[in-house]
Every structure is written in structure tokens, then in C-alpha cells.
Amino acid sequence: MGWLHKMNAYFKEQLSLKNLLKVLLILLILYFLSLTSNVWMSWLTTLRLILTPFLVGFGIAYVVHPFIEFLQKKGVSRRIAIPLVCLGMLTLLIGILMMVVPMVYDKTTELINSMISGLNWLYQQYVEMNENAPNILVAGIFQQITTLLNDTKSWLPNFSALLPQLISKVLSFLTNAVFAFIISVYVLFDFEKIRKTIFSLARTIDKELPIYLSAVNAEISGYLHSLLMLMAIKFLEYSLLYMLIGHKSAVTIALLTSIGLIVPYFGATVANFIGILTSLTLPLPKVLFLIGGICVLSMVDAYIIAPIVHSRSSQVPPLWTLLCVFAGGMLLGPIGIMISIPVFMSLRVIVNLVRFRNERYDPLPSEEE
């Protein structure tokens, strides 16, 4: 019963009037914040709108900076490397948009028709396998999904009629995008100076804080490098797979599968489901070949390619990945989902570094002592 006496002594020590006043003060502050949420939430929203282009610009500069360092190692001047990389990035982005957007728009109706045909095929198979009358609930679900897809298909040709309503949003998005791009260019020119300033400020806060920032930087850089490589590999794999079965939207589905890696597990799963659903109108051997190919590629990517591309420290357990994606989506929406894994990896490397330094400088006493 020694632990009961320890708990009793602990609570007697901690439950003092001073500590109770601290708890009451914290609860009072939280209650006051809940009452004034309409005021400070509007301030936070305005602050987020102001800071978003700067954060996006800094993020773009952070992702692009390794390419500039690579050119500098090859003997290219930094003043030349930055415009070259920015121009190449902008050209690549515009080229992808000019190729993908018309293709996706042209193929969307065909894709929806394939999905409707696949759903109808599944429903007919269900009816033939069911000896009794089809379940009302199942029939209603199929009918609702088919109606939703048909409504989407009928909405697409009238997309131009909605353009006047979208002009303000499109202009706002383009303005923020251009502003973020300009900020990223300025950040790239002063990247080293900004990094030194951040490390200097961190050192004034705590002399060991730059060590943690360096560890986080190395972890995130490795993750982004691995992610880009895996996206390129997956795009090539699935383009070849869908072309082998004669899928009409092979490049579109492969692109969706590749981009789906940004959302771990869920993105690629949704893309595979769309790919299988749109291929149900093909001959049965091709559909079976596609399903088998997806299973094989998933296992090869998970157990062979991903471990080779990722370092051991950059791998995230599946349960932690699902938890991070869910929490990020609940807190920040789509942006939270995309940054959930980098944030988790940053926190993990900080915790591991703190644990290592504690074990190094404050070793536990041995049993002999």
C-alpha cells in the first residue's frame, strides 16, 4: 500500500491554495475566450488570410531551394540559378495545367459514364445472384449514386454558365498565387540570410534550439525528396498498367494515383477504386488483370520500393499515419491532411532528440548505486 501513501502525500503537496488559484485562473481565461470567440475568431481569420501567401511562399522556397543548391554545386551562379529554377517551375506548372485540365475536363464525362456503367454492371450481378427480390435499401443506394453521377454529368457542359459566379474567387486565388510566387522568389534570394536570422533568434531563446531546428530540417527535406520520387515512380507504374489493359483514361487515373500519395492510404485507395470502377466495362480478363496488377504494385511499392526510397527514420507506422491524417483533417481541413505527416515527423524527431540528450547527460542510476 506504499503507492497509496505516495499518492496521498503528492496530492497534499500539490493541492495548495496557490495551485488551486492557478487552475481557477486558467478556467476563467478559457471561459472568457469562449464568450469572446466571435471577436478573436474573426481576428484569427483575418490574420490567416494575411499570412497565408507568406507561408505558402516560404513553403515553395523551402521545397525549391535544394534544386538551387544542386545547380550551385555544378558551378552555376546563385543569381542565375534562382531565375532558372523559378522559370522552369513556372513553365512546368503551366504546362501541366494546360495539358491536364483540358484532358480532365474532356475525360470527365467519359469517366462518369464508365462509373455509371460499372455501377449498373455491379447492380445487375447483384440482382442475378440474389434469388429473391433485390433489397430496397441496396437498390435505393445504387439509384442515388447513379442519379448523383448523372446530375454531375449534366452540370459539366454548363460549366461556362457558372464562370461569372466564380470570377471573384478565381481572381482572388490567382492574386494570392502570384503574390505567393513573388514572395518565394524574394525568399530564395535571401534564403541564407533568413535562415541565419531564424537560427540566431532561436539561439537567443535557447542555445540548444538550433540543434532541434537542424534535425527537423533534415527530416522534412528527406521526406519531401522521398515523396517526389515515389510520386514519379507510381505515375510511371500505373500509367503502364492502365495502358496495358487499354483504359481510355490511363494517364488521368495514373496522375490521380500519384497525387494521392499526398494523402497517405486514402488518396491512392480512392484512385484505385475509381480505376477499377471505370474499367468494369472492359472484358473480364482485363479487369482481373487490373485488380491483380494493383495488388502486386501495392505490395511492391509498400515492401520494396518505399523502404528503398525512404530512410528508416522517415517511415511512419500505419496507425500513426491514420491518426495524423484524421487529426489534421479535423483541425485544418485539406491543408491539415497534407501537412499532418511532416508535422508528426518533426515532433517525433524533436522527442527522440530530447530523449537522446536526456539519456546522454542524465543517465539513470544503475542498480548497484
Side-chain angles (χ1 to χ4, degrees), residues 85-101:
V85 172
C86 292
L87 183 61
M89 179 180 65
L90 190 61
T91 304
L92 180 63
L93 180 61
I94 294 176
I96 291 176
L97 290 176
M98 291 181 65
M99 289 188 297
V100 172
V101 172

Side-chain angles (χ1 to χ4, degrees), residues 60-69 78 188 191-192 195:
I60 294 173
Y62 181 81
V63 173
V64 172
H65 188 259
F67 297 99
I68 296 174
E69 289 184 335
R78 185 176 184 85
L188 284 172
F191 194 87
E192 296 299 329
R195 180 157 57 183

